[in-house]
Amino acid sequence: MKRALILCLSLQGLSLLPSVGAAHAQTVVDGSDKNASPFVKSTLHMLSTRFAEDHPKFRKITTHSAGDKQVVCGEISLPGSKLPAAENFMPFGATQGEENPLVYEPHTIPAALDFREVNTWINRGADLEDLEEMGCVPEGSYRQYSDHLNTVLQHRKTN
């Protein structure tokens, strides 16, 4: 009888291991998460889980209402990313009820693009456009990106 009890306890212990390993701490470097709502905490947790290997840090977390939904905006740093140090913090945003938070990874648009790369650059701009509509980046950010991309596309490589 004792063996069965011990075996049962060890099986319960094994079933708890995956949930303990899935927890990721959120590091907010400027304290802007004070009095955060459950939605904000959930968003930070989702981003921490998504970028767990990069050990993300957060700052400039704000919330506002968009109709009947809450929007959270902020910046996330991914120390393990290949972005230049000056661009280490990237804007993110999430709307309550939406599936995944958006993160805009700024990359310098090269002077010339290969035709096969055009869709990648357009898709990157779509995240910026969505963040602008959410109020997470300054108005005109997408327009500036789009204008610069269009200028580069006029002189694209045709390999």
Side-chain angles (χ1 to χ4, degrees):
M1 191 67 158
K2 245 183 182 179
R3 282 187 187 174
L5 180 59
I6 292 171
L7 181 61
C8 187
L9 287 175
S10 65
L11 285 176
Q12 284 181 342
L14 287 175
S15 67
L16 291 177
L17 287 176
S19 64
V20 171
H24 300 285
Q26 296 89 38
T27 303
V28 180
V29 296
D30 62 358
S32 58
D33 65 331
K34 290 184 179 160
N35 304 318
S37 70
F39 168 63
V40 172
K41 290 178 184 177
S42 171
T43 300
L44 296 180
H45 179 74
M46 284 193 305
L47 289 168
S48 292
T49 302
R50 185 163 127 196
F51 298 110
E53 61 192 39
D54 291 318
H55 308 289
K57 293 181 176 28
F58 300 94
R59 70 179 185 188
K60 298 182 181 178
I61 297 169
T62 61
T63 59
H64 62 274
S65 295
D68 60 343
K69 296 183 178 185
Q70 187 178 17
V71 175
V72 61
C73 301
E75 293 181 352
I76 181 172
S77 173
L78 304 175
S81 76
K82 295 177 180 156
L83 291 174
E87 298 172 348
N88 204 16
F89 276 93
M90 303 171 289
F92 76 86
T95 302
Q96 195 170 19
E98 297 291 320
E99 190 76 19
N100 290 314
L102 292 173
V103 176
Y104 174 67
E105 299 182 41
H107 295 277
T108 303
I109 300 172
L113 288 174
D114 186 298
F115 184 73
R116 296 169 290 199
E117 298 173 340
V118 171
N119 283 339
T120 301
W121 290 96
I122 291 170
N123 290 338
R124 284 185 180 151
D127 287 343
L128 183 61
E129 181 178 27
D130 290 342
L131 286 172
E132 185 176 330
E133 288 175 5
M134 294 165 63
C136 295
V137 296
E139 192 172 321
S141 296
Y142 173 71
R143 179 69 175 186
Q144 182 180 2
Y145 175 89
S146 179
D147 288 348
H148 182 68
L149 182 59
N150 285 331
T151 301
V152 169
L153 291 178
Q154 291 173 5
H155 303 92
R156 71 176 175 252
K157 299 178 197 174
T158 53
N159 295 347

